[in-house]
């Protein structure tokens, strides 16, 4: 993953956390002041959390085992070459470079 892409993900995650803490603080203050009941507070917090929580993408393993993907990751991280096309070619096209890239992003692969 590029530095720019990584920075965007980190910034989005930190922004979501900051927003959630602000909203939680405001709602807790309203509760303390007797301005909202517990059930409404719970509903509000759940609504906020579901609206800003990142949703995990469900990776498609392309029919490959967890062990296969662990080996793909190990090979990619140990090799200095950028991108994923070279690895897809070395795997004889068993999985596309797009599938490898998606796994790398989702699982946070990093070059050694």
């Amino acid at each position: 993953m590029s530095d720019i892409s990584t920075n965007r993900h980190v910034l989005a995650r930190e922004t979501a956390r900051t927003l959630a803490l602000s909203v939680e603080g405001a709602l807790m203050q309203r509760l303390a002041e007797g301005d909202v009941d517990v059930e409404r507070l719970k509903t509000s917090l759940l609504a906020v959390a579901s609206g800003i929580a990142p949703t995990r993408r469900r990776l498609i393993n392309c029919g490959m085992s967890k062990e296969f993907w662990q080996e793909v990751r190990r090979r990619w991280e140990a090799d200095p070459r950028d991108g994923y096309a070279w690895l897809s070619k070395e795997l004889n096209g068993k999985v596309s470079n797009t599938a490898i890239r998606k796994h790398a992003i989702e699982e946070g692969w990093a070059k050694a």
Side-chain angles (χ1 to χ4, degrees):
M1 183 175 348
S2 71
D3 288 342
I4 292 171
S5 182
T6 300
N7 289 340
R8 283 187 194 144
H9 288 285
V10 169
L11 181 59
R13 189 172 45 244
E14 291 306 314
T15 301
R17 283 187 188 139
T18 301
L19 177 60
L21 288 172
S22 296
V23 170
E24 180 183 29
L27 291 171
M28 293 302 285
Q29 184 174 354
R30 286 179 59 195
L31 178 64
E33 294 169 352
D35 206 16
V36 66
D37 67 26
V38 174
E39 282 307 308
R40 282 187 57 204
L41 175 64
K42 179 179 161 185
T43 302
S44 297
L45 286 173
L46 289 173
V48 169
S50 67
I52 63 171
T55 55
R56 300 281 295 172
R57 289 188 311 260
R58 184 171 173 214
L59 290 174
I60 298 171
N61 288 331
C62 302
M64 302 300 180
S65 68
K66 182 177 179 180
E67 292 76 20
F68 171 83
W69 284 107
Q70 288 171 341
E71 175 61 18
V72 171
R73 179 179 185 165
R74 186 197 63 71
R75 287 177 65 178
W76 184 84
E77 288 182 335
D79 196 288
R81 290 177 279 184
D82 289 331
Y84 308 97
W86 64 268
L87 185 53
S88 179
K89 286 179 188 173
E90 287 184 9
L91 293 169
N92 298 318
K94 289 181 185 175
V95 292
S96 68
N97 60 324
T98 301
I100 298 169
R101 180 183 59 79
K102 286 181 179 182
H103 275 268
I105 291 168
E106 182 67 27
E107 296 172 359
W109 297 4
K111 295 283 188 178

